[in-house]
Amino acid sequence: MQVWPGQSYPLGATYDGAGTNFAVFSEVAQRIELCLLHDDGSHETVELRETDAFVRHAYLPGVMPGQRYGFRVYGPYAPEWGHRCNPAKLLLDPYAKAVSGQIDWDEAVYGYHFGRPERRNDLDSAPHTMSSVVVNPYFDWGDDRPPRTDYHRTVIYEAHVKGLTMRHPGLPDELRGTYAALAHPAVIEHLTELGVTTLELMPVHQFVQDHRLVDEGLANYWGYNTIGFFAPHNAYASWGDRGQQVLEFKSAVRALHAAGIEVILDVVYNHTAEGNHLGPTLSFRGLDNASYYRLGEDPRTYTDTTGTGNSLLMRHPHVLQLIMDSLRYWVTEMRVDGFRFDLAATLARQFHEVDRLSSFFDLVQQDPVVSRVKLIAEPWDVGEGGYQVGNFPPLWTEWNGKYRDTVRDLWRGQPRTLAEFGSRLTGSSDLYQSDGRRPLASINFVTCHDGFTLRDLVSYDHKHNEANGEDNRDGENDNRSWNCGVEGESRDPAVRELRARQMRNLVATLLLSQGVPMLSHGDEFARTQHGNNNAYCQDNELAWVRWPRRPDPAPDEESEREPERDADREALRMLEFTRTLVWLRRDHPVFRRRRFFHGRPVAGTHDALSDIAWFTAEGEPMRQRDWQAAHANSLMVFLNGNAISEPGPRGERVRDDSFLLMFNAHSAPLTFTVPPRHGRRWQVVVDTARPDGVPPGAGPTVAAGDRLTLVDRSLLVLQRPS
């Protein structure tokens, strides 16, 4: 085999059409071997002799895409000093573009012997672990263009590749649960008809199944256990793991872009799958443990602000380079449109505390590629001072956990909620206005993958996670949920009707709020996880989306099928309501303002009314004591479509219809009086008290001064043409 010196950049395995350049970083290694793996079980070894700035490299002519490989690192094994090199462990390339195989969790993948953590384990891990793969970077993107949807037009749909597609009746069996399923016309049609603009995928970076979960017959379904920051997860590929997963993922992005749908990745750069000091040696730990990880006061252990066993060392230049190289790769080569950063507060921990001026944010801010895509922070971690909602830099948007909590509290009847609800409904200016951000910095959500589904939020007071095998100790205890009087499934018509109304209330509130709405997959179908609020390990029908069937023109009258048909009817009604509210939002810029409300008339217009006004149920302007009343749970909001202050894309004035939103979160019916000065005639366009939520055709008209009775826990939307 010919071995040429090669180049130290780019890191990883880079195929150029004639051969492959290999480059890997390790500051502590004394020697690194490249192992080329063959399908007959044999291998060839090449020492990487050339070194530049701790990067070892070589170029191998004739090494082609599909070639499996790994590294063996010779260096100090001294856990007391933070070093864990062991040449018996075949290591994944941190820059691998694809990964083949899975881990079988033999003792050989660990750096110590079970029961004797102080004793080094020299068993060869190669037969039991994954391997890196050389990939072909060439792909025909055709006329692909990123949709570049403005934030004020964005509707995010959080989804799991497998969970969304595994039970879709319109997909061939061999495509279900794969990247190819995302590109299937049946899935794309659903997203486009729903009005989704942006698909936010739960982790698709190569992740690892946890040893404990495998032993218990469970799985790491969610995928927040990354081992490869450049590689698409191979189990989601329908036709191979020797680079085919890369082509399949690119094909899915191309198809979604063609439909005008952006793709955002949920990324986990805060930790890796190697876990704590008792975790396996798979890649980073064996290459340079002390450079990649934040070690504890005792270097044998790790500082853990993520709850997963380790945290990446965000002040080390090669860690920062790894993350930035990964982000740029997914934008430039895989053509994704943005990222949602899991436990993003950890990325800001340059030393101990969360620092919004950390090196990571500096790098993102000045990067000409990454700074131009959507950047969404989950603004918390489990470390001290980790809850940072509202504190990320101006370039970033944030999952607004305070929005979620406040909206849930309002509709479940918690006291002293109204004042904060007013702020959340209008874009959370208390969180985002002081640093120059706008309402669009707030990613609003009521549910997400973590916690109850929408249906379970209105069906359970308590979590029911027994299937997870942790005696119901896992998952959040305070869910801000309300079961409407019965825990779990109920056949009581009154309970079922109230729950359906509450789901409509929550979805309508989300889509009528200023900011960027995010729906969780399957909530448009009122899906249930039967009270499990932490389905991270449930790779089965409990967590997969159940797609409803359309009514059978000749339905089977067997009584045992009636509950299933009821569920389908409920799901389809919820789908139609959600779709209607999404499109109502998309059609009316007054619900997606790019600037905060002023609370006064807008200069340069002939409208004497302010851009927003708040009223009691009696139609009187809200006073301070009305906001602060302990049991206040109703209000009206006037949104003036003639007083939108921000211009259109060409500087033109933006005008819209005006709307009056009536919220009755009280446990009894309330009478609302239509304010006399803000419009003479109105039309009802949304009524969550109706089973369909939307009056058919033209809804009833009402006049100024009319008194309308809203049933308990319901929402009414009135529209006045401009």
Side-chain angles (χ1 to χ4, degrees), residues 46-89:
V46 175
E47 183 176 353
L48 303 181
R49 297 181 181 275
E50 297 293 327
T51 305
D52 292 298
F54 302 115
V55 175
R56 307 202 178 215
H57 52 89
Y59 180 89
L60 276 61
V63 170
M64 308 300 280
Q67 174 66 58
R68 294 183 300 125
Y69 70 98
F71 296 115
R72 295 190 187 272
V73 175
Y74 296 80
Y77 182 84
E80 65 276 13
W81 295 102
H83 304 311
R84 295 178 179 269
C85 298
N86 186 340
K89 310 308 169 187

Side-chain angles (χ1 to χ4, degrees), residues 142-286:
D143 59 356
D144 176 75
R145 294 289 185 275
R148 297 195 184 282
T149 305
D150 292 330
Y151 266 120
H152 70 283
R153 297 182 181 276
T154 296
V155 177
I156 299 174
Y157 186 83
E158 185 199 31
H160 187 284
V161 172
K162 189 172 186 180
L164 177 65
T165 63
M166 196 63 186
R167 301 178 69 186
H168 195 300
L171 297 178
D173 289 345
E174 65 273 15
L175 295 187
R176 294 183 181 187
T178 70
Y179 302 122
L182 297 177
H184 194 278
V187 172
I188 290 178
E189 180 183 19
H190 172 72
L191 297 176
T192 54
E193 288 185 355
L194 184 58
V196 167
T197 70
T198 305
L199 181 63
E200 181 180 303
L201 294 176
M202 290 174 65
V204 298
H205 286 174
Q206 184 68 47
F207 62 86
V208 171
Q209 297 296 334
D210 307 61
H211 193 168
R212 177 187 67 83
L213 294 177
V214 171
D215 285 348
E216 295 178 5
L218 299 170
N220 190 318
Y221 168 64
W222 284 353
Y224 292 93
N225 203 32
T226 304
I227 196 61
F229 294 110
F230 294 78
H233 187 59
N234 56 22
Y236 296 154
S238 64
W239 55 292
D241 69 356
R242 300 290 182 87
Q244 294 94 332
Q245 62 265 55
V246 178
L247 299 177
E248 191 170 322
F249 182 88
K250 289 179 176 180
S251 297
V253 172
R254 184 178 59 190
L256 288 160
H257 280 182
I261 298 173
E262 296 179 306
V263 179
I264 286 180
L265 302 188
D266 192 339
V267 290
V268 189
Y269 292 112
N270 52 73
H271 74 281
T272 80
E274 290 184 305
N276 63 17
H277 62 288
L278 297 178
T281 298
L282 305 175
S283 180
F284 309 92
R285 173 173 283 145

Side-chain angles (χ1 to χ4, degrees), residues 263-342:
V263 179
I264 286 180
L265 302 188
D266 192 339
V267 290
V268 189
Y269 292 112
N270 52 73
H271 74 281
T272 80
E274 290 184 305
N276 63 17
H277 62 288
L278 297 178
T281 298
L282 305 175
S283 180
F284 309 92
R285 173 173 283 145
L287 279 164
D288 194 335
N289 186 60
S291 291
Y292 280 111
Y293 293 118
R294 185 187 294 272
L295 302 182
E297 292 184 12
D298 179 350
R300 284 182 287 252
T301 63
Y302 298 85
T303 298
D304 178 16
T305 60
T306 65
T308 58
N310 65 54
S311 303
L312 286 173
L313 183 59
M314 294 303 299
R315 66 176 180 268
H316 194 285
H318 273 278
V319 173
L320 291 170
Q321 181 187 3
L322 171 79
I323 295 174
M324 295 306 299
D325 285 349
S326 170
L327 292 170
R328 279 191 294 269
Y329 174 78
W330 284 94
V331 175
T332 59
E333 296 297 321
M334 308 297 265
R335 300 207 178 183
V336 303
D337 304 284
F339 306 94
R340 178 265 187 189
F341 293 80
D342 178 65

Side-chain angles (χ1 to χ4, degrees), residues 425-448:
L425 183 72
T426 54
S428 296
S429 60
D430 58 323
L431 299 177
Y432 304 115
Q433 191 169 27
S434 62
D435 61 5
R437 285 190 284 179
R438 295 184 172 182
L440 306 171
S442 178
I443 305 299
N444 299 330
F445 65 106
V446 176
T447 58
C448 64

